[in-house]
Amino acid sequence: MRKLLLFLLVTSALTVKAQDEKTDLDIINKIIKEGTANSQIMDIAFHLTDVSGPRLTNSPGYFRAANYAVTQLKKWGADKAGLEAWGDFGQGWQLKKSYIAMTAPYYKPIMAFPKTWTQSTKGLVKADVVVINVKDSTELAQYKGKLAGKVVLVNRVDEYKHSFKPDANRYTDDELKKMADFKPNPQPQGPGGNQQNFARFGAAQRLNTLIKQMITEEGAAAYLTSSPASHDGTIFVQGPAGNRVDFTNGKPSVLEIAVSFEDIKTINRLVNMGTTVSLDLDVQSEFTGSDVKGYNVIGEIKGTDPKLKDEVVMLGAHLDSWQGSTGATDNASGCAVMLEVMRIFKTLNLQPKRTIRIALWSGEEQGLLGSRGWIKNNVGDRVTKDVKPEQGKISAYYNIDNGTGKIRGVYLEGNSAVQPIFAKWLEPFHSVGASTLTLQNTGGTDHISFNELGIPGFQFIQDEIEYDTRTHHTTMDSYDHLVPDDLKQMATIVATFVYNTAQRAEKLPRKEMPKPAPVRQ
Amino acid sequence: MRKLLLFLLVTSALTVKAQDEKTDLDIINKIIKEGTANSQIMDIAFHLTDVSGPRLTNSPGYFRAANYAVTQLKKWGADKAGLEAWGDFGQGWQLKKSYIAMTAPYYKPIMAFPKTWTQSTKGLVKADVVVINVKDSTELAQYKGKLAGKVVLVNRVDEYKHSFKPDANRYTDDELKKMADFKPNPQPQGPGGNQQNFARFGAAQRLNTLIKQMITEEGAAAYLTSSPASHDGTIFVQGPAGNRVDFTNGKPSVLEIAVSFEDIKTINRLVNMGTTVSLDLDVQSEFTGSDVKGYNVIGEIKGTDPKLKDEVVMLGAHLDSWQGSTGATDNASGCAVMLEVMRIFKTLNLQPKRTIRIALWSGEEQGLLGSRGWIKNNVGDRVTKDVKPEQGKISAYYNIDNGTGKIRGVYLEGNSAVQPIFAKWLEPFHSVGASTLTLQNTGGTDHISFNELGIPGFQFIQDEIEYDTRTHHTTMDSYDHLVPDDLKQMATIVATFVYNTAQRAEKLPRKEMPKPAPVRQ
């Protein structure tokens, strides 16, 4: 996911005071001990990353990880664990071969990674590079008839920026204080001063769409692009450029390849000086499986209190990743934390009053598809706001999807009534850096699917570490980029929040149900 | 090169005062204007990097760059410009294909780069991975008979370190002050407290040598290693591990591949858990050329003063690089600066009193071979210290080989008599950050070849930028990692130093000739 601060709805005045909250420090200390001294989180993370491989939704890697999760939940003694279809996604996709090299004017391996759902080459293809250098669609016409069989890139004028700032970061006390002091703006912000930027962006987008259309129609061998995040050997790579691909139809679009900034600029400069640049391309990928339904992993530990056991505390994270690496920080970290929480519950035999339900979602990277599908099947319709009884039974949903950094606090999503409750719950974790509550919300991931239907869904504030600089949707999102001690801290805090929510006399306070409104599908 | 602080010989007391030095500010201002407003340095750098390709000594890329340099020197009007043999090196070597991927337990492209002078595969080879995990040579015996046709790596226990410090750095005022305040220690330091470390290092080295010997004898498919510098997609790669290869015999050693830390650890963990890890390898390289002599580029602008024109000011940098990229900061940057200095001299028609001689060396990365060969042919014997008349005619040698960062001052190599002279010469450059003189010396590159025979040879203090963190001997040492403004500043300072040395009434003061002593060949 990519976080995004959104405007928010303010909830009613505080009705709960921190001193009223009762917590069981004995249990919390057991959780901390089990999650620290006996942690299995790195072994879980290893299986979700190295052992499973990339976990693009419905790919074999996704199912390896999903089946591992189910097996572990059963092994630990969960009362329920299995794959659950949420709706139609489309086939899986996986890379079978990727060989990309410059062969003229001299040999050079090209640092690059093919984009999901794009075409294979017919074996090893040799192709010269054409650089499209145009200001507008009129100028684009000069390339008509010249792109068949060529490798195409669009002229780049931006420059490499040396990193005088660290790749890895933790929140400073000042930054956390600013988050804590945040006061929500009740007025949603319009485009305002950004209108001009939107217009420029729109024109560039339209030109890019026309370029991609021409590349496709002419039958180019491949379309090379490079994100500003693709430097130093790290490649940022996900789906094809431009309009969102229809990944449900099993028809790949023109081969697109994400290339390192250094290599695309070298090729670009050589072509611009009049040199013939030739590439060898051998890219093979395949659509996988015949079942187009998408599947989440759902597991449960049944509640033990006769009056409360039908109520539910949910915890979750998306299990799917992009293809460039094994999605360690996006989001094996979140899944490993949630699985470790389930292990801690069963190992300590915690006997929660309410039912605990874990959900590992698929299709998050394509638009929260797995969580929204599950919500639609079980909770209600996010457009009409018609709900089923389950909507009233889920006390809270806790999500992790901000990378590998330890928890520093919670985004309250404007739900100020939970502030004193969470303040109390965080007390045992002040010493490990988690004490900040902010009314800010954070978009882009699966807690939204719950908030959309009035169920309190929360994301945690986590240290960035290398999320924005190195790992997010890149070839570097691998096991070694995880921070073990941070993951352990996360598991103990989430387990505590889940336990406290399960044992609490009342469900967590809710914001008002959002009004039904046209929602962009 | 890699810089290394060495113990040093202290020169005699100061004999020159800064106020006695005469400089021509009018000329210096012309140099600054030409090197800044009319700079061609990035075009030169482009031709040495992107256009030429990797410049391993005697490879086609080396000769493309060397011939370009000769052509430019002639075009600018140098009185002499050509390739000059310095002795035997051996054949060139270049990569023709590199495809390395994991195919089981799932498909994953492996970030890796073959090492120089190592073998090709016989087409596409499929091989399983064996991890050697031993404490000593006794344990190593268990692998005998098990390595034929396998890909081998040695078990790694080190861990990825997240970068909480910036990749790119400039010297702070404090750091520069410490360098300026440096007082040489007249006593060379013995191994002292480091003896234990040396012993441990020695044992590890011996074990590694045995491992490599076994890998070679058994006929392994490939030997994978990873430097701690190979992370985030950046691969550190040069020659084979262990003993220095005999690169003059044209016989490649067992295929060795430098692998990213993330990928080698993933493979290592999977094998350690009992998973069969299979790789596809298709690595093709070739030895190039039949002429085994090594060649430097030598160019001259003749002196114009009847009494001084037989004396020489030399400037140089090594033109050869390793193979992983195009050696932008090691050392196209130094060569581009020195060529730009020659261009500035000819464009401004500076008419130096003494002769200006540029030398772009080869074989530096294999032990300063080009500069030492040239010195042996023209100046004297570094072992016996027997010298030819030329030794007395070279006033100074200026070298650039500390990356792309701008000049902050000069390493005086213990030659304190030049301190007041250089202090005066740096005055016009205080405003652009160059004002530090340190008695420290810095090893590892071609100025040593001159100092060994009593000729004042200097390296400049340069900002590190990403030299140690990203570019030194890596796949990231490419054009985009250069800093244009820094290169321009360097050219203006070096041109000024060369001009001032050429015009000065006397040659620069010298340290005593080092005593003849056994030198490790």
Side-chain angles (χ1 to χ4, degrees), chain B residues 26-319:
Chain B
D26 181 48
I27 295 284
I28 293 169
N29 282 328
K30 282 184 184 165
I31 288 172
I32 292 172
K33 190 178 169 197
E34 181 62 27
T36 308
N38 304 328
S39 174
Q40 293 189 20
I41 200 160
M42 292 311 291
D43 188 60
I44 297 169
F46 169 56
H47 281 86
L48 297 178
T49 57
D50 283 343
V51 178
S52 298
R55 301 181 308 278
L56 194 76
T57 297
N58 275 3
S59 70
Y62 179 80
F63 287 112
R64 278 191 291 270
N67 290 330
Y68 163 79
V70 169
T71 303
Q72 291 304 109
L73 287 167
K74 286 181 180 165
K75 192 179 116 187
W76 295 325
D79 299 300
K80 181 183 155 184
L83 299 181
E84 202 178 290
W86 52 259
D88 281 355
F89 176 83
Q91 286 181 279
W93 180 96
Q94 69 179 355
L95 192 60
K96 302 292 286 179
K97 178 165 193 179
S98 176
Y99 173 66
I100 301 154
M102 184 169 89
T103 55
Y106 50 87
Y107 184 84
K108 184 185 197 312
I110 298 297
M111 287 168 287
F113 208 102
K115 298 190 184 178
T116 48
W117 313 304
T118 69
Q119 288 173 353
S120 298
T121 58
K122 287 179 183 157
L124 178 68
V125 168
K126 293 171 182 295
D128 293 346
V129 179
V130 172
V131 173
I132 292 183
N133 191 353
V134 297
K135 283 196 305 292
D136 53 38
S137 57
T138 312
E139 289 186 8
L140 184 59
Q142 69 186 280
Y143 292 93
K144 205 159 165 56
K146 294 179 185 166
L147 304 183
K150 303 295 185 189
V151 169
V152 182
L153 59 94
V154 175
N155 192 55
R156 292 289 289 256
V157 292
D158 50 340
E159 291 183 357
Y160 174 80
K161 285 179 185 62
H162 295 77
S163 294
F164 286 93
K165 290 181 181 170
D167 282 351
N169 289 284
R170 294 188 181 277
Y171 281 116
T172 63
D173 290 345
D174 275 359
E175 287 166 337
L176 290 170
K177 184 168 185 314
K178 267 185 202 155
M179 294 173 86
D181 291 346
F182 172 82
K183 294 278 178 289
N185 178 352
Q187 297 301 322
Q189 289 178 346
N194 280 326
Q195 225 150 10
Q196 274 199 322
N197 285 339
F198 277 120
R200 255 201 303 275
F201 183 70
Q205 280 285 84
R206 279 191 297 278
L207 182 56
N208 282 337
T209 303
L210 288 174
I211 290 169
K212 173 136 179 219
Q213 198 177 315
M214 184 184 267
I215 287 170
T216 304
E217 284 168 5
E218 297 240 328
Y223 180 25
L224 307 189
T225 61
S226 181
S227 151
S230 294
H231 54 84
D232 303 333
T234 299
I235 313 284
F236 180 94
V237 59
Q238 42 183 53
N243 293 328
R244 180 171 290 177
V245 72
D246 179 5
F247 47 83
T248 59
N249 73 356
K251 282 189 198 156
S253 59
V254 63
L255 174 59
E256 290 189 48
I257 301 171
V259 180
S260 74
F261 186 76
E262 292 88 344
D263 281 343
I264 210 166
K265 288 286 282 190
T266 290
I267 294 169
N268 200 154
R269 281 187 294 267
L270 288 170
V271 172
N272 286 357
M273 84 173 278
T275 302
T276 298
V277 175
S278 306
L279 299 191
D280 270 7
L281 304 169
D282 190 350
V283 176
Q284 307 304 326
S285 61
E286 64 180 2
F287 281 73
T288 61
S290 53
D291 181 359
V292 297
K293 288 200 290 291
Y295 292 86
N296 301 313
V297 173
I298 305 289
E300 283 184 6
I301 298 169
K302 290 287 179 207
T304 54
D305 183 296
K307 288 182 190 157
L308 298 176
K309 67 181 181 165
D310 287 343
E311 292 183 1
V312 184
V313 186
M314 287 188 68
L315 65 163
H318 73 87
L319 183 59

Side-chain angles (χ1 to χ4, degrees), chain A residues 5 40 86 101 128 142 152 163-164 167 220-221 223 227 230 237 265 288 293 311 323 329 339 368 404 427 430 434 499:
Chain A
L5 298 180
Q40 292 189 21
W86 52 259
D128 293 345
Q142 69 187 280
V152 181
S163 294
F164 286 94
D167 281 350
Y223 180 25
S227 151
S230 295
V237 59
K265 288 286 281 190
T288 62
K293 287 201 290 291
E311 293 183 1
Q323 78 279 28
T329 72
L339 287 168
L368 322 185
T404 188
E427 280 173 8
H430 287 194
Y499 183 76

Side-chain angles (χ1 to χ4, degrees), chain A residues 377-393:
Chain A
N377 296 337
N378 295 279
V379 176
D381 187 297
R382 70 189 181 98
V383 180
T384 64
K385 309 298 179 192
D386 292 331
V387 296
K388 306 181 183 190
E390 185 77 5
Q391 192 267 355
K393 292 184 182 163

Side-chain angles (χ1 to χ4, degrees), chain A residues 50 53 96-98 106-107 111 160 162-164 168 232 234 262 266 269 466 470 476 479-481, chain B residues 50 53 96-98 106-107 111 160 162-164 168 232 234 262 266 269 466 470 476 479-481:
Chain A
D50 283 344
K96 301 292 284 179
K97 179 165 194 179
S98 177
Y106 50 87
Y107 184 84
M111 287 169 287
Y160 174 80
H162 295 77
S163 294
F164 286 94
D232 303 333
T234 299
E262 292 89 343
T266 289
R269 282 187 293 267
E466 302 170 328
R470 267 305 148 210
M476 283 304 119
Y479 177 92
D480 290 286
H481 289 259
Chain B
D50 283 343
K96 302 292 286 179
K97 178 165 193 179
S98 176
Y106 50 87
Y107 184 84
M111 287 168 287
Y160 174 80
H162 295 77
S163 294
F164 286 93
D232 303 333
T234 299
E262 292 88 344
T266 290
R269 281 187 294 267
E466 301 170 328
R470 268 302 151 210
M476 283 305 120
Y479 178 91
D480 290 286
H481 288 259

